[in-house]
Amino acid sequence: MNKKGYTYLKFSGLVILIIILFAFTSKRNKQRKINKVSIEFVEEQDPYVNEMTVNKLLIQNQERVTNVGKEILVLNTVEKGLDAHKMIEHSDVYLTVNGELKAQIKQRSPIARVNAVTSFYVDVTGSTMPLSNSYSAHVPLVHNVSEREVPEVFPLLKKIQDDEFLKKHVVGVFRTFKGHYELELRVYSFRVVIGKVENLENKVRNFKAFYQKALKDQSLDKYKKVSLQFSNQVVCTIK
């Protein structure tokens, strides 16, 4: 047999072997059963949705699922069911070669809690989410804001979340009847008047400069209000 014929025969044999292996693997996969369910919460987050809730969403009947062949379980449908939960931002569901059903869960992250007749959270994307039965988030409490006004206040809430100084000091956000906003601080009793949710970078920069100076002068306890709504200045009201 010449070299060309030998190469052809070798290639044909390899193709046949691949087909046999594929058929064998496919048959084993169809016969394989789900014998374990594993849930993993990605990133370090507070438990707004617990493992029991996710498990119920994954499988309504544990015994039934552990006895169902892999081909019957539609993973995309399972993922869509998880993603539809109001506490879940994203899920990834897959089956391992050992027959283990795994679900990786990323929860939504609240950055503020709105005090309303039916209270709710605002998450990092500006969307609303219900309160959790598993955990209460340590976030600023927002007053006099309805769900309709969330887009208006969201840039301020996001600024508080992203700025370490504000995140440390701000515990409350109030909306006045004029649509202006004021901040309540954790330690000091004075209100910080933001005014309209605009020019936030400049307002926060001015407040930080004022705070550092007043802290050095030990005068922070003297004020009733500190207004940032006027351009490039901080206006203080004495108690």
Side-chain angles (χ1 to χ4, degrees), residues 188-190 217-226 236-239:
Y188 299 100
S189 60
F190 62 84
D217 296 340
Q218 298 183 341
S219 60
L220 287 169
D221 289 321
K222 297 179 181 179
Y223 303 112
K224 180 180 180 181
K225 278 192 177 182
V226 174
C236 301
T237 303
I238 303 294
K239 288 181 180 178

Side-chain angles (χ1 to χ4, degrees), residues 5 35 53 71-72 80 105 129 139 141 153-154 172 182 199 213 234:
N35 52 48
T53 300
E71 71 278 8
I72 298 177
K80 287 179 181 178
I105 305 295
M129 57 184 284
V139 292
L141 191 60
V153 70
F154 175 66
E182 299 181 356
N199 302 322
K213 185 178 184 306
V234 177

Side-chain angles (χ1 to χ4, degrees), residues 87-143:
M87 293 294 180
I88 295 175
E89 179 179 327
H90 176 72
S91 67
D92 184 19
V93 181
Y94 59 94
L95 194 65
T96 69
V97 293
N98 297 322
E100 182 179 2
L101 180 66
K102 285 197 170 186
Q104 293 183 326
I105 305 295
K106 186 178 187 301
Q107 301 178 101
R108 295 173 65 186
S109 300
I111 61 174
R113 173 173 173 165
V114 176
N115 185 24
V117 176
T118 302
S119 296
F120 58 89
Y121 288 129
V122 177
D123 74 2
V124 293
T125 68
S127 300
T128 62
M129 57 184 284
L131 302 186
S132 169
N133 293 325
S134 303
Y135 188 83
S136 181
H138 301 294
V139 292
L141 191 60
V142 183
H143 303 269

Side-chain angles (χ1 to χ4, degrees), residues 5-162:
Y6 176 75
T7 302
Y8 177 78
L9 183 62
K10 184 178 179 181
F11 177 76
S12 299
L14 181 60
V15 171
I16 293 172
L17 179 60
I18 291 173
I19 292 173
I20 293 173
L21 288 174
F22 179 80
F24 177 73
T25 303
S26 178
K27 183 178 180 180
R28 286 192 62 185
N29 283 342
K30 288 182 179 179
Q31 294 176 343
R32 186 171 61 208
K33 310 301 180 183
I34 299 170
N35 52 48
K36 184 180 179 182
V37 176
S38 176
I39 299 167
E40 176 189 358
F41 291 93
V42 300
E43 301 183 4
E44 292 187 9
Q45 294 178 288
D46 295 316
Y48 300 110
V49 56
N50 57 34
E51 188 170 324
M52 183 181 296
T53 300
V54 175
N55 198 53
K56 286 180 180 179
L57 290 169
L58 274 172
I59 45 175
Q60 298 301 319
N61 188 317
Q62 176 77 23
E63 183 178 355
R64 178 186 174 192
V65 171
T66 55
N67 289 285
V68 174
K70 176 186 175 183
E71 71 278 8
I72 298 177
L73 185 62
V74 183
L75 298 181
N76 286 340
T77 303
V78 176
E79 285 186 355
K80 287 179 181 178
L82 287 171
D83 292 346
H85 192 278
K86 292 184 178 181
M87 293 294 180
I88 295 175
E89 179 179 327
H90 176 72
S91 67
D92 184 19
V93 181
Y94 59 94
L95 194 65
T96 69
V97 293
N98 297 322
E100 182 179 2
L101 180 66
K102 285 197 170 186
Q104 293 183 326
I105 305 295
K106 186 178 187 301
Q107 301 178 101
R108 295 173 65 186
S109 300
I111 61 174
R113 173 173 173 165
V114 176
N115 185 24
V117 176
T118 302
S119 296
F120 58 89
Y121 288 129
V122 177
D123 74 2
V124 293
T125 68
S127 300
T128 62
M129 57 184 284
L131 302 186
S132 169
N133 293 325
S134 303
Y135 188 83
S136 181
H138 301 294
V139 292
L141 191 60
V142 183
H143 303 269
N144 305 327
V145 166
S146 66
E147 192 169 338
R148 184 185 66 247
E149 291 148 349
V150 166
E152 175 187 273
V153 70
F154 175 66
L156 176 58
L157 301 179
K158 190 68 167 60
K159 182 63 179 175
I160 295 170
Q161 171 70 16
D162 293 342

